[in-house]
Amino acid sequence: MSSPAVTSKESKLNSRVRGRMAAAPERTPQVFWCPDLVSTRDLGPAGVHAVLDLARIMKSRPADFRRALAGRQIVMFFEKPSLRTRLTFEAGMVSLGGTAMFVDQTHERIDAREKLSDVAHNLERWVDLIVLRTYSQEAIHGMASHASIPVINALSDLEHPCQALADYMTLRERFGDLKSLSLAYVGDGNNVAHSLLLTCACLGSSIRVATPAGYGPDPQIVADARAIAENTGAEICLLSDPHEAVAGADAIYTDAWTSMGQEKQERERAQIFPPYQVNSELMAEAAPHAVFMHCLPAHRGQEVTDAVMDSERSLIFEQAENRLHVQKAILYLLLGGGDRLPARSAHA
């Protein structure tokens, strides 16, 4: 969850954003109730719906938002390589009339040269929002607690909230009603699995996660997802059998068996995960209309076969496209881009 400093930070954020708004005089600047997107838990059910609803509007009417963030600037610090995350944030910010700056942080951690708090206090005086793609979730929490401007988690070892939001946007486009949707995740209980669990819980959907013993999702993430599900009616099931997970499912999702930073485990994982490969045989056990999903990059021939990746059932490029629209919506909401905002969330 957000740090204990969120309340005071929200007050600072509201003050700073109001003072820097470039909106037309007839519009009253507003600030999204969630000052940062450190975790999907920061959004809660109302916030997840708000992002998806706005992303749909932005996708269908991009011209309406071309000057929405004119004069605003974001900076992106990436400790991990990226194709989709970097380009969709850059393209998204530019398409909203703003400016995006990229700092390649892959050579060292962001706090290697100076205290994270010092970095944060510099950045808040130069730009309007910080995007972090890092290893440590604690680094994102720390940046959010120290900086008086919004911070977005663009991937950490614990969560990948922007990806999961784009995934469920893609599923809503394909199936419509997410309440009756059944998603099966097969593979490593990693950051993507965590964010899918939390987003599913917020949407009141159904998810079955199948992982090898010892590679399941983080217990605290599962507990938090189940707590949210108590109010939304979501169904969460943890399994070890991939066949049980995919049986009759509407969508099958997988990710790399070895995430960035786990390279030393690659040989060991290559011996454990083959039964969790998504291939034509496993897909055949899902519903006849079932689709395949992957956050990319994929290791073809490992967690998924070419036959599945390249089939008509694959939504991988629709997912990648929707990263752009979801991130535009997040930027717009966090930067107080306009007055098309929902009521305050009870989960703030």
Side-chain angles (χ1 to χ4, degrees):
M1 297 293 288
S2 294
S3 70
V6 162
T7 301
S8 61
K9 175 180 174 176
E10 186 172 9
S11 176
K12 289 192 296 179
L13 176 62
N14 289 346
S15 175
R16 291 181 65 86
V17 173
R18 289 194 184 102
R20 300 166 79 168
M21 282 299 298
E26 66 273 13
R27 301 181 69 183
T28 302
Q30 298 187 47
V31 177
F32 197 38
W33 64 76
C34 171
D36 306 292
L37 179 50
V38 172
S39 164
T40 305
R41 292 167 287 188
D42 294 329
L43 293 174
V48 167
H49 282 287
V51 171
L52 295 185
D53 290 344
L54 181 56
R56 176 182 56 81
I57 295 170
M58 288 181 144
K59 184 174 183 177
S60 63
R61 306 204 316 257
D64 291 354
F65 298 88
R66 284 180 182 161
R67 300 289 297 167
L69 296 182
R72 314 306 289 276
Q73 297 176 317
I74 68 170
V75 64
M76 305 184 297
F77 288 85
F78 281 29
E79 294 178 351
K80 294 185 177 185
S82 172
L83 172 65
R84 281 152 294 278
T85 301
R86 175 181 175 178
L87 291 180
T88 50
F89 266 115
E90 288 186 345
M93 189 60 180
V94 171
S95 72
L96 294 173
T99 302
M101 295 168 282
F102 177 76
V103 180
D104 183 355
Q105 205 69 44
T106 56
H107 59 290
E108 64 180 7
R109 302 296 166 87
I110 191 170
D111 58 354
R113 293 180 60 243
E114 53 187 311
K115 287 181 61 177
L116 190 65
S117 58
D118 291 345
V119 176
H121 293 319
N122 276 273
L123 295 176
E124 68 187 5
R125 286 159 172 77
W126 301 331
V127 299
D128 300 288
L129 183 144
I130 303 164
V131 179
L132 285 184
R133 181 178 174 92
T134 182
Y135 290 88
S136 169
Q137 181 78 5
E138 287 70 27
I140 300 176
H141 278 289
M143 184 69 79
S145 67
H146 292 297
S148 63
I149 56 176
V151 174
I152 295 176
N153 179 351
L155 180 143
S156 71
D157 284 347
L158 186 65
E159 291 190 52
H160 198 355
C162 298
Q163 177 66 56
L165 288 163
D167 296 333
Y168 274 95
M169 178 180 180
T170 306
L171 288 169
R172 189 165 73 170
E173 289 175 338
R174 173 58 67 98
F175 294 105
D177 180 22
L178 293 176
K179 284 279 189 178
S180 60
L181 180 81
S182 174
L183 172 66
Y185 177 92
V186 177
D188 185 31
N190 60 13
N191 48 7
V192 171
H194 292 159
S195 291
L196 288 171
L197 280 164
L198 292 167
T199 308
C200 167
C202 289
L203 291 168
S205 190
S206 171
I207 188 169
R208 298 194 293 264
V209 177
T211 63
Y215 293 90
D218 180 85
Q220 186 60 56
I221 294 285
V222 174
D224 290 343
R226 285 180 167 154
I228 296 170
E230 289 181 4
N231 294 318
T232 63
E235 297 180 1
I236 296 171
C237 185
L238 302 186
L239 305 164
S240 59
D241 184 355
H243 302 281
E244 184 179 357
V246 306
D250 300 304
I252 312 302
Y253 199 120
T254 194
D255 192 11
W257 293 341
T258 305
S259 298
M260 289 178 284
Q262 298 176 336
E263 288 78 10
K264 292 182 179 179
Q265 303 175 30
E266 186 170 4
R267 181 174 297 181
E268 175 186 353
R269 287 169 173 262
Q271 303 298 315
I272 295 171
F273 280 88
Y276 294 81
Q277 182 188 71
V278 179
N279 48 39
S280 298
E281 292 73 23
L282 192 65
M283 287 293 297
E285 299 178 32
H289 58 260
V291 296
F292 170 73
M293 306 181 78
H294 195 302
C295 60
L296 302 179
H299 302 81
R300 291 170 177 259
Q302 293 185 24
E303 71 266 18
V304 60
T305 61
D306 285 343
V308 173
M309 281 277 290
D310 299 328
S311 71
E312 293 183 356
R313 305 170 79 175
S314 177
L315 297 183
I316 57 174
F317 299 121
E318 286 85 349
Q319 293 172 256
E321 177 186 349
N322 284 335
R323 289 291 303 278
L324 173 67
H325 308 298
V326 158
Q327 282 155 201
K328 286 171 65 176
I330 294 167
L331 290 168
Y332 184 90
L333 291 169
L334 289 181
L335 287 173
D339 50 17
R340 193 183 293 107
L341 298 178
R344 184 177 175 85
S345 169
H347 296 267

